[in-house]
Amino acid sequence: MSQHISQEAARRRTFAIISHPDAGKTTLTEKLLLYSGAIHLAGDVKARRTKRQVTSDWMAIERERGISVTSSVLQFEYEGAACNLLDTPGHQDFGEDTYRTLVAADAAIMLLDNAKGVEPQTKKLFHVCRLRKTPIVTFINKCDREGKDPLELLSEVEQVLGIHTVPLDWPIGSGRGFVGVYDRLDGKVHLFAGGHHGAAVVEEEVMDKDDPALPARIGDSLYARLQEDLELLEAAGEPFDMEMFLAGEQTPVFFGSAATNFGIGPFLRRFVTLAPPPVDRETRDGSRRKADDEAFSAFVFKIQANMDPSHRDRLCFIRVCSGRFEKGMKVRHLRLDKEIKLAAAHTLMGRDRVDVEEAYAGDIVGVVDTQHLLRIGDTLATDRGPAFVGVPRFSPEIFATLRLKDPLRRKQLVEGLGQLAEEGAVQIFFRRGAGAVDPIVAVVGVLQLEVLKHRLESEYSVNVVVERLGLTHARWLDGVSDVSKAARDIVGTHVEDTDGHPVVLLRNDWELGVAERENPSVRFLTTSPLDVQGTVQAVR
């Protein structure tokens, strides 16, 4: 069995795509599925040429706007590799969900727009990967449009992000004249045609770089430019180093167009050979659990409620770290120190579910949690080994009250907010002594408020008016014996979280400074004391 577990783990490639909004992430995701055979016709994100919806976007607001605001988990097989693609939110307000998802990935594809280069959100997410030393493969997208010179883009990545770049393929032509790529590892030229505006796999013609027919095939000027660029790369570029790549110090670079599918085939073929199999995971006692351990272990990195609107379900996404998952198996819930049964389990393609009978290290499994036992960051295992290092969480920066249009829907509001809070999509606070009347919600980004309002309406039939508050900080109070006295002594708005912990909400840095100076015996925590115990890590 242990050999079988090792072989299956070695086949896994678990990765995420990081990018700035509108760099083409959802489109690239679709095209990777198309080239793997998981889907047979790709739907454009703006649905310009077809009414088909993209496979990975399932929430109504995503389909309406052509943006991703939830993390999807997409599985496909490609040339013997079992790929788990964590499709993360592209909108900048959802960086927290992306951050948590990156913890579950073993590698990342950094997607850049060839006209815009390194953008702010890409920079932020790159540094998350850099902290964890996640190997990064770069794909420069939109080569079918005029953009920056490829050498200029490489220089920008190196200067802005501080990582060495090694182009493993090179574009032939640009804009409307983008016809193919040259593979620097095997010396082959890949020329593309067809593809029905990106809806189907393109025709691919492979030629040797020294083929005498190549200049006539691509034109003398393109051929001369290719020769000139390649000479420059050989003279000035550095060789690809697998160890540097796996340490997150060097990024192999590929060029293409997710819209037209030009360059997608060569990129995917190279990517599955470069991306590492599941890595050993760090635990809270400083040790590491090996991916080929026989004992099953996993951690919860995402919770999603109501993916099936016909019933109130709750799906907890676990990343398998070792051993073999079997449907119906009993595992130990380390935080609660109790045995639980993992009865129903699924993988997803957008909102479509497929039952999972077994899974191995690197796989992502959606476990149905009807009893609400699981939280983000929880460790599950068949042995009593140490728990994994917690999943990161940001402290909220935007606060608002929700006023019910129909007071009779208060029960549904509380239920909906409770579900969404457990997902990590929003944090909920109640005024002391007021119960569930006009709760305060806290989020990281503005769009999250809009999504919250939309989901309460569509999933719980609750209409609310969202009113922003002039608050910027939430601090959990630790070391307080008399909550009423603390409310009198400490400046700010005093509330409770969903677990009943005292929290103070503050308007600005000055108020926070006053509160901390005047109350030296109180610890002002950026996340809940439950989080500090290890299920999540606070991120300032």
Side-chain angles (χ1 to χ4, degrees), residues 248-277:
E249 296 169 3
Q250 186 189 75
T251 177
V253 181
F254 297 82
F255 295 83
S257 165
T260 64
N261 298 339
F262 286 19
I264 298 296
F267 167 68
L268 183 55
R269 286 192 290 272
R270 288 291 180 206
F271 178 76
V272 295
T273 62
L274 291 170

Side-chain angles (χ1 to χ4, degrees), residues 274-525:
L274 291 170
V279 295
D280 302 343
R281 308 293 297 195
E282 187 182 353
T283 60
R284 286 184 210 151
D285 68 355
S287 63
R288 302 184 76 85
R289 190 187 278 266
K290 293 188 175 297
D292 58 1
D293 276 0
E294 280 206 55
F296 166 82
S297 66
F299 66 87
V300 180
F301 71 93
K302 177 180 172 59
I303 296 173
Q304 187 73 56
N306 307 327
M307 293 191 76
D308 183 350
S310 62
H311 58 86
R312 295 279 174 259
D313 63 350
R314 184 173 188 266
L315 214 54
C316 299
F317 292 95
I318 62 172
R319 149 72 197 234
V320 181
C321 299
S322 67
R324 177 174 180 260
F325 168 88
E326 296 176 64
K327 184 178 178 180
M329 73 187 301
K330 291 181 178 178
V331 298
R332 182 151 293 279
H333 186 314
L334 268 63
R335 176 174 58 84
L336 300 179
D337 193 24
K338 67 180 289 186
E339 190 174 76
I340 63 172
K341 185 177 181 180
L342 304 179
H346 311 279
T347 58
L348 300 176
M349 179 74 78
R351 71 194 303 172
D352 297 328
R353 299 184 184 188
V354 180
D355 283 350
V356 173
E357 298 298 328
E358 62 176 18
Y360 298 88
D363 285 339
I364 308 298
V365 178
V367 177
V368 177
D369 178 26
T370 54
Q371 295 180 297
H372 291 235
L373 296 174
L374 297 175
R375 287 189 176 190
I376 289 169
D378 279 344
T379 298
L380 305 175
T382 51
D383 62 8
R384 288 187 172 272
F388 292 108
V389 169
V391 175
R393 172 174 286 175
F394 290 86
S395 186
E397 299 169 5
I398 295 168
F399 300 81
T401 55
L402 301 182
R403 188 162 47 79
L404 269 172
K405 291 183 179 179
D406 178 1
L408 298 177
R409 304 292 296 172
R410 188 163 307 282
K411 181 182 175 185
Q412 289 80 1
L413 172 65
V414 173
E415 180 194 354
L417 288 177
Q419 286 268 20
L420 297 174
E422 287 172 356
E423 290 181 24
V426 64
Q427 295 187 52
I428 314 295
F429 302 110
F430 302 105
R431 290 179 175 84
R432 292 190 63 246
V437 176
D438 296 337
I440 294 173
V441 296
V443 294
V444 175
V446 179
L447 182 65
Q448 283 179 277
L449 286 178
E450 197 174 325
V451 173
L452 171 67
K453 185 174 185 290
H454 175 91
R455 290 190 63 187
L456 285 172
E457 188 176 327
S458 63
E459 296 171 19
Y460 298 93
S461 302
V462 172
N463 289 299
V464 294
V465 176
V466 178
E467 297 173 347
R468 287 278 298 274
L469 299 171
L471 301 165
T472 59
H473 298 294
R475 291 294 183 269
W476 278 256
L477 303 179
D478 191 40
V480 170
S481 55
D482 186 337
V483 176
S484 297
K485 184 176 184 301
R488 292 192 299 271
D489 294 347
I490 300 172
V491 66
T493 303
H494 286 262
V495 293
E496 295 176 346
D497 67 9
T498 49
D499 293 306
H501 292 299
V503 181
V504 62
L505 308 180
L506 303 146
R507 288 182 296 179
N508 49 43
D509 290 343
W510 181 83
E511 274 196 356
L512 175 59
V514 168
E516 290 179 329
R517 277 196 309 275
E518 293 183 351
N519 301 275
S521 62
V522 177
R523 285 205 306 156
F524 292 81
L525 305 175

Side-chain angles (χ1 to χ4, degrees), residues 99-167:
Y99 204 117
R100 286 196 295 258
T101 299
L102 288 173
V103 175
D106 296 317
I109 296 172
M110 181 167 67
L111 183 65
L112 302 180
D113 183 321
N114 81 326
K116 297 175 181 175
V118 180
E119 297 178 86
Q121 179 77 350
T122 316
K123 197 171 168 182
K124 184 176 173 184
L125 294 169
F126 170 83
H127 287 300
V128 173
C129 293
R130 170 58 66 85
L131 282 171
R132 301 189 62 250
K133 298 184 177 179
T134 303
I136 295 172
V137 177
T138 300
F139 184 79
I140 295 178
N141 192 27
K142 303 189 180 181
C143 291
D144 59 318
R145 302 181 191 179
E146 294 300 334
K148 297 180 181 180
D149 180 82
L151 288 169
E152 183 187 341
L153 285 164
L154 296 182
S155 176
E156 183 178 338
V157 170
E158 295 202 348
Q159 288 174 13
V160 175
L161 300 179
I163 189 170
H164 299 277
T165 61
V166 180

